[in-house]
Amino acid sequence: MASYDLVVIGGGPGGYVAAIRAAQLGMSVACVEKRATLGGTCLNVGCIPSKALLDSSELFSVIGHQAAKHGIKVPAPQLDLASMLGRKDKVVKELTSGVAFLLKKNKIDVLHGAGKVSGPGQVAVDLASGGRSNLTCKHILLATGSEPINLPFLPFDGKNIVSSTEALTFDKVPDHLILVGAGYIGLELGSVWKRLGSRVTVVEYLPRILAIADAEMATLLHKSLEKQGMVFQLGTKVTGATPEKNGVTLRCEADGKPVNIKGDKVLVCVGRKAYTQGLGLESVGLVPDSRTGQLAVDANYQTQVAGIYAVGDLIAGPMLAHKAEDEGVAFAERLAGQKTHVDHATIPSVIYTWPELSSVGRHEEELKAAGIAYKTGKYAFKANARAKCMDEEDGLVKILADASTDRVLGVHIFGPRASDLIAEAVTIMEFRGSSEDIIRICHAHPTLSEVTREAAMAVHKRAIHA
Ligand code: FAD
Ligand code: NAI
């Protein structure tokens, strides 16, 4: 029977990163993954394929709508969807193979198959190649991630009522794509298929999109997506669906009145829940939260059972790949006696629409609810030279700073490359910096980052270019 210091169940960003860090710290490690490839949801059916399609569809849109403005005359672009999907698959393949290479390089044994806890310090793997492998270990890390929430009145059928996984592989552009849920997945995958020619309707239960975001910034994104042609049915409750010959009629209720929406595909994206199916938790008396399916952990990522740990989507906090990775590192380092910790308050989030929306720290509604006095600085991309050169003038940076200490409490960016621009804000917040600190740092000219600096100046009512 093979024996290890650590057996990791789940080869996603939480699991594989923990495995590598533990191996770097001298532990003998095995990683069990039931998919044929490593990288988890993120690399296989999440972050990476969605961003590959977002980038391709953005290029398609830029060539079709913006090239002429830059003085580039090209005939209307034609979509070769099979090639676009093929490129996405190639990106995924290269990155998942890269993870396999890294695990091999770090001398981590990878077992492909479904792993389950069979007792304290014991993991049984039903190997994909057949047979069972029993492992013993000092520590078990559970990193089995999450799965899409399946609404009982709108169950996935894999064909017309689908999850994000199928929406990354449609072999034809849907004529009318209906999205249930105006969150991360709805807005990102809605953008992809809108740019490629679908009519897109987003049905959201709440009266606004992106309940997790700063309301002002969410409104800016909402307006921008409407301008791009997406239709939003907010405050609308889905009650069921009726199959049609070529699609589905979604039955909804708005203001107490029935609303029927006919489309050829319905993408249900109303959140994800932790995945622990078949994990053998009962063998050690571990009980997931009845609502979220998540496991409770302590500061060392240890569950209620000694020697069994959990990270990533399986535990509380934002369900994001970089959060899972950071927890994987912190778990391994704490196991090795270090004091690493992950501050959930400084985990950035990004919605990869165009323009993008990124955020770190608190938003205005949270600060108001907590009774914290704050100052606001805003600066628009339309006043930035680089944004003008790029013809990307839509957007705003908003900085929220403590009214008395000037410490940065939150930064919200809606604009071009907001995903990259947020890194400066995360750094400032990690170092407990102030908006004055951002002002004192030299920012290259002409760059989009100057918008952040001007927003910091605006906190003190001293923006130079306003
Ligand atoms: P996962 O990545 O889900 O990995 C868990 C792994 O465990 C899976 O590979 C699964 O097969 C395996 N597993 C489960 N049970 C067993 C078992 N019993 N035995 C063996 N293996 C098992 N996050 C971002 O930060 N940025 C993004 O842009 C982004 N885009 C996304 C787009 C989409 C469409 C989706 C669905 C998600 C996206 N996410 C994004 C979220 C991100 O994918 C997750 O937060 C992240 O993958 C969580 O990592 P994890 O390691 O906890 O779990
Ligand atoms: P989400 O939590 O982002 O959004 C779900 C939306 O559905 C919410 O607006 C909610 O109010 C709405 N909703 C819930 N029940 C509903 C109902 N019955 N009818 C209509 N609307 C309903 O969930 P989503 O988009 O499924 O994404 C899951 C998770 O995956 C995200 O929370 C995020 O953690 C991760 N993700 C991250 C991405 C990124 O970092 N860019 C991209 C994609 C996913």
Side-chain angles (χ1 to χ4, degrees):
M1 194 184 283
S3 185
Y4 297 90
D5 291 324
L6 173 68
V7 172
V8 179
I9 306 183
Y16 87 74
V17 169
I20 292 176
R21 189 69 190 115
Q24 286 175 342
L25 291 164
M27 292 176 231
S28 59
V29 185
C31 181
V32 184
E33 170 53 57
K34 70 177 181 183
R35 268 196 179 88
T37 48
L38 292 161
T41 302
C42 172
L43 268 69
N44 290 282
V45 292
C47 327
I48 299 306
S50 61
K51 265 79 253 177
L53 289 182
L54 277 155
D55 285 332
S56 294
S57 60
E58 172 63 17
L59 200 55
F60 183 72
S61 169
V62 166
I63 293 168
H65 302 293
Q66 278 162 264
K69 263 195 183 177
H70 289 267
I72 305 165
K73 281 193 179 171
V74 280
Q78 287 189 359
L79 177 64
D80 175 356
L81 182 59
S83 298
M84 194 179 278
L85 295 177
R87 190 197 80 95
K88 172 215 42 157
D89 293 341
K90 186 164 172 279
V91 170
V92 168
K93 189 162 181 282
E94 284 175 10
L95 291 174
T96 53
S97 314
V99 174
F101 166 79
L102 292 175
L103 265 58
K104 193 169 172 201
K105 184 179 150 201
N106 283 282
K107 301 189 173 36
I108 295 161
D109 288 344
V110 175
L111 288 91
H112 283 286
K116 74 187 232 186
V117 181
S118 46
Q122 290 174 20
V123 172
V125 186
D126 287 325
L127 297 165
S129 55
R132 173 172 275 209
S133 185
N134 292 307
L135 314 176
T136 61
C137 56
K138 292 187 195 141
H139 309 282
I140 299 172
L141 176 66
L142 307 176
T144 50
S146 62
E147 61 175 345
I149 291 175
N150 196 5
L151 295 173
F153 48 87
L154 196 61
F156 297 122
D157 65 14
K159 194 169 161 266
N160 293 325
I161 303 176
V162 300
S163 75
S164 52
T165 302
E166 292 79 22
L168 293 165
T169 56
F170 290 149
D171 57 4
K172 156 175 180 295
V173 177
D175 288 332
H176 186 195
L177 173 64
I178 307 171
L179 303 155
V180 180
Y184 283 80
I185 293 178
L187 302 184
E188 290 187 2
L189 292 183
S191 294
V192 166
W193 294 106
K194 178 81 202 80
R195 292 168 191 163
L196 299 182
S198 291
R199 184 153 69 88
V200 172
T201 303
V202 187
V203 178
E204 166 61 51
Y205 181 74
L206 296 175
R208 56 167 282 195
I209 69 163
L210 281 178
I212 40 115
D214 184 280
E216 180 184 18
M217 305 308 273
T219 302
L220 291 177
L221 176 58
H222 181 178
K223 284 188 185 150
S224 168
L225 293 173
E226 269 183 339
K227 246 199 283 171
Q228 293 169 42
M230 272 196 212
V231 173
F232 289 88
Q233 288 265 164
L234 303 181
T236 302
K237 185 170 141 190
V238 178
T239 54
T242 312
E244 304 281 349
K245 194 166 159 243
N246 290 319
V248 182
T249 292
L250 194 68
R251 298 194 306 275
C252 312
E253 258 176 48
D255 297 325
K257 294 189 196 92
V259 180
N260 287 340
I261 311 170
K262 192 177 173 324
D264 40 355
K265 299 275 183 200
V266 176
L267 162 56
V268 184
C269 40
V270 293
R272 295 176 63 85
K273 65 173 192 328
Y275 181 76
T276 53
Q277 210 179 307
L279 199 49
L281 298 183
E282 60 294 340
S283 72
V284 285
L286 260 182
V287 184
D289 181 271
S290 58
R291 196 178 55 84
T292 62
Q294 287 175 324
L295 295 174
V297 292
D298 65 13
N300 292 321
Y301 299 96
Q302 185 160 253
T303 64
Q304 286 120 324
V305 176
I308 303 187
Y309 306 79
V311 294
D313 282 8
L314 202 49
I315 66 170
M319 287 184 164
L320 298 173
H322 40 283
K323 177 260 193 189
E325 287 188 31
D326 283 11
E327 287 178 346
V329 169
F331 152 76
E333 293 184 349
R334 291 183 81 95
L335 199 57
Q338 299 180 17
K339 296 284 174 234
T340 322
H341 99 125
V342 179
D343 184 0
H344 282 189
T346 48
I347 293 173
S349 69
V350 181
I351 320 284
Y352 295 84
T353 45
W354 196 265
E356 297 172 331
L357 177 59
S358 64
S359 171
V360 61
R362 310 239 229 160
H363 49 66
E364 288 207 70
E365 295 71 39
E366 287 172 331
L367 291 174
K368 280 180 190 145
I372 297 169
Y374 63 94
K375 295 176 291 182
T376 308
K378 296 182 200 173
Y379 195 78
F381 281 88
K382 67 171 182 292
N384 172 265
R386 188 63 192 278
K388 196 166 270 307
C389 296
M390 293 165 69
D391 197 27
E392 290 290 353
E393 298 178 56
D394 198 8
L396 181 78
V397 174
K398 172 157 91 171
I399 297 182
L400 307 171
D402 188 281
S404 54
T405 66
D406 192 36
R407 181 172 161 182
V408 175
L409 302 173
V411 177
H412 307 275
I413 306 178
F414 172 63
R417 297 284 164 227
S419 53
D420 295 318
L421 294 173
I422 200 68
E424 174 181 18
V426 178
T427 309
I428 281 288
M429 287 190 65
E430 279 287 354
F431 283 96
R432 313 275 187 273
S434 62
S435 66
E436 176 80 18
D437 288 326
I438 300 176
I439 300 170
R440 299 287 164 203
I441 295 167
C442 186
H443 289 63
H445 175 77
T447 62
L448 298 172
S449 71
E450 290 170 289
V451 181
T452 306
R453 191 190 207 184
E454 294 275 0
M457 291 176 184
V459 170
H460 303 276
K461 302 196 181 349
R462 45 170 280 208
I464 298 281
H465 299 92

